[in-house]
Amino acid sequence: MPVALCAMSHSPLMGRNDPDQEVIDAVDAAFDHARRFIADFAPDLIVIFAPDHYNGVFYDLLPPFCIGAAAQSVGDYGTEAGPLDVDRDAAHTITREVLDSGIDAAFSERMHVDHGFAQALQLLVGSITAVPTVPIFINSVAEPLGPISRVRLLGEAVGRAANKLGRRVLFVGSGGLSHDPPIPQFTTSPEQVRERLIDGRNPSDAEREVRERRVIAAGRDFAAGTATIQPLNPHWDQHLLEILASGELEQIDTWTNDWFVEQAGHSSHEVRTWIAAYAALHANGPYQVTSSFYREIPEWIAGFGITTALTRSSNHMK
Ligand SMILES: O=C(O)CCC(=O)/C=C/C=C(\O)C(=O)O
Ligand SMILES: [Fe+2]
């Protein structure tokens, strides 16, 4: 069966701290294109790789990867709250293949997910329940992180499982390219913040509001050139996009986690979701990137990309 991919940046600042209309129009056009690509492909299952930002997964038990057989969106930053339409059987099949491949992913019958999953599903297919989904959490925020090669291997195992499902599977990767938004680091946080990073589920509306305002203010300062956060790195972003388009994903195995941060900021680890999605596609055969959008958008603290891809055999089977 054919498989396809859409990898996209997300940003909680979209609609909250917007750039010039010309930039918004360009992003909207790129999302329109991605939506048409997905509608043409007509997936009957979405496997989405996304991170969490201390809304669903905490330091009380922090796996590198977790596959959800049921999942609940927390509804942060105005995203849709409530249950995703998770395909439990597909989640079990994928988990078995991943574990059989020697990748020790966690498994959840009640995964909590945030805008990393919900914003992508809403933007690409309209809602968190529009298409049956298997959500796969990839820790991209809470250090320490394992080597990037494990992410590629996870993606390959998921891709092999998808191949066995006999379904029209769309792989989605959700997360930024270079960016360094103000997400607390455990080692440098005061005790009170550490406590919420360990066990901060179900914050009050007021607590959530304070956190969200802090990120919005950082976006304003960053766009005004007065923030102390790390600059975007369009050269690094383009280099990564070229490697992903080439299909030579092993090249990325040599990149250290420190180098990701040095070059592209702490949240550049979110490209783990893209690498997993591309590896899943690659496990189904040689592929072709069919569209690639990129802009630096300081207002959203994002090197912002959207790409679509198809395996070459899927192209003939459309
Ligand atoms: O306040 C916190 O603990 C988390 C802040 C937060 O959720 C920021 C998210 C930013 C992104 O998702 C992003 O730029 O990719
Ligand atoms: Fe993020």
Side-chain angles (χ1 to χ4, degrees):
M1 283 293 246
V3 289
L5 168 146
C6 179
M8 54 165 276
S9 299
H10 61 239
S11 170
L13 297 175
M14 291 173 82
R16 288 181 169 68
N17 186 45
D18 279 334
D20 290 347
Q21 193 58 43
E22 176 267 319
V23 178
I24 295 176
D25 290 346
V27 172
D28 284 350
F31 273 121
D32 277 346
H33 183 87
R35 281 188 285 270
R36 275 198 305 277
F37 168 84
I38 292 168
D40 279 356
F41 178 70
D44 53 31
L45 182 71
I46 293 180
V47 175
I48 176 168
F49 300 93
D52 180 73
H53 312 76
Y54 301 115
N55 292 300
V57 186
F58 297 88
Y59 274 107
D60 57 356
L61 187 63
L62 222 165
F65 313 125
C66 183
I67 301 169
Q72 193 79 19
S73 166
V74 303
D76 61 325
Y77 290 97
T79 55
E80 204 179 335
L84 276 62
D85 180 12
V86 179
D87 185 323
R88 174 174 273 108
D89 288 345
H92 278 263
T93 303
I94 289 172
T95 304
R96 273 193 295 273
E97 177 74 34
V98 166
L99 294 175
D100 284 349
S101 305
I103 307 292
D104 298 325
F107 177 73
S108 175
E109 284 286 354
R110 192 169 299 159
M111 195 153 94
H112 296 263
V113 303
D114 72 5
H115 67 270
F117 289 85
Q119 187 180 61
L121 290 172
Q122 287 181 251
L123 280 168
L124 296 180
V125 291
S127 96
I128 58 175
T129 53
V131 179
T133 295
V134 175
I136 303 184
F137 159 76
I138 297 186
N139 179 24
S140 310
V141 168
E143 294 180 2
L145 302 178
I148 194 68
S149 55
R150 301 295 292 170
V151 174
R152 178 175 59 76
L153 294 173
L154 167 77
E156 285 178 1
V158 171
R160 284 193 297 275
N163 186 270
K164 291 178 187 165
L165 289 171
R167 310 265 296 269
R168 299 181 69 85
V169 180
L170 174 74
F171 302 112
V172 172
S174 167
L177 297 162
S178 64
H179 68 312
D180 197 27
I183 301 181
Q185 300 288 313
F186 188 85
T187 48
T188 54
S189 289
E191 195 51 41
Q192 192 195 347
V193 175
R194 285 186 174 192
E195 197 44 47
R196 94 162 159 80
L197 302 187
I198 294 171
D199 183 12
R201 193 165 286 153
N202 303 319
S204 66
D205 288 349
E207 284 165 334
R208 197 177 281 298
E209 173 90 14
V210 169
R211 284 173 59 185
E212 295 187 1
R213 277 209 196 147
R214 191 169 145 267
V215 178
I216 294 165
R220 293 210 180 108
D221 292 348
F222 190 54
T226 57
T228 51
I229 55 182
Q230 206 169 311
L232 306 176
N233 187 341
H235 295 295
W236 187 88
D237 290 338
Q238 289 296 352
H239 181 49
L240 178 65
L241 290 173
E242 279 162 22
I243 293 177
L244 293 172
S246 75
E248 291 170 15
L249 305 179
E250 284 98 340
Q251 281 189 47
I252 303 170
D253 288 3
T254 58
W255 298 4
T256 67
N257 292 332
D258 286 347
W259 192 73
F260 272 84
V261 174
E262 244 170 66
Q263 291 292 313
H266 289 92
S267 288
S268 68
H269 293 311
E270 286 189 350
V271 297
R272 288 174 167 244
T273 65
W274 290 48
I275 292 162
Y278 271 95
L281 188 70
H282 195 242
N284 285 270
Y287 61 77
Q288 187 172 17
V289 168
T290 53
S291 70
S292 186
F293 170 85
Y294 177 78
R295 286 296 277 260
E296 283 176 79
I297 309 183
E299 289 80 358
W300 296 345
I301 320 181
F304 201 95
I306 307 169
T307 65
T308 58
L310 274 174
T311 54
R312 290 183 195 280
S313 56
S314 300
N315 225 343
H316 302 301
M317 291 162 76
K318 270 203 302 181

